[in-house]
Amino acid sequence: MAELLGIRTYPVKGEPGHDHRTAIVGPEGLEGDRRKKAPVHVVAAEDDRDDLRANLVVSLPAAELVAAIGSGLRVGEVALAVTGTARDCPGVYADVTAPGRIGVGDPVTTGREPA
């Protein structure tokens, strides 16, 4: 089963991010994160790099994340609607459809319908 491996926020543009064990995810994204092009940026562990500025690192294969565009992604109790690929970097962007709390180790699943 896939799981959440990392949680990061980037409160100030151009400054290093902060790693978290847990986070609250609201309709606008992770609490304490600055607003960006999309509420949440999700990346596969195989594509994770320090310069990506992704919010969530998951153990799903990168191809499975991209295949989830137009459908849902569930991370713990949080539901995301995967909206598209990130512009010039790996990963996908997602809107929050069901806010909640997430934690490293939470299960990650994809679905056919938007969550």
Side-chain angles (χ1 to χ4, degrees):
M1 175 181 281
E3 66 180 296
L4 179 60
L5 301 175
I7 303 169
R8 299 185 190 120
T9 57
Y10 300 88
V12 180
K13 185 175 181 159
E15 291 194 14
H18 302 281
D19 290 319
H20 305 277
R21 297 290 303 158
T22 63
I24 300 293
V25 182
E28 299 297 316
L30 279 72
E31 191 173 273
D33 197 30
R34 71 179 171 82
R35 299 300 160 237
K36 301 178 290 250
K37 296 172 188 160
V40 181
H41 179 188
V42 184
V43 68
E46 66 194 69
D47 291 333
D48 189 28
R49 304 186 316 246
D50 289 338
D51 66 331
L52 280 186
R53 305 184 77 73
N55 298 117
L56 305 179
V57 180
V58 298
S59 66
L60 288 171
E64 193 169 341
L65 270 182
V66 172
I69 293 171
S71 67
L73 184 68
R74 183 164 288 278
V75 181
E77 65 184 46
V78 171
L80 303 171
V82 182
T83 58
T85 56
R87 278 189 155 186
D88 298 322
C89 57
V92 295
Y93 288 141
D95 292 330
V96 180
T97 57
R101 178 180 292 275
I102 57 172
V104 171
D106 279 355
V108 176
T109 57
T110 60
R112 294 186 181 273
E113 298 299 319

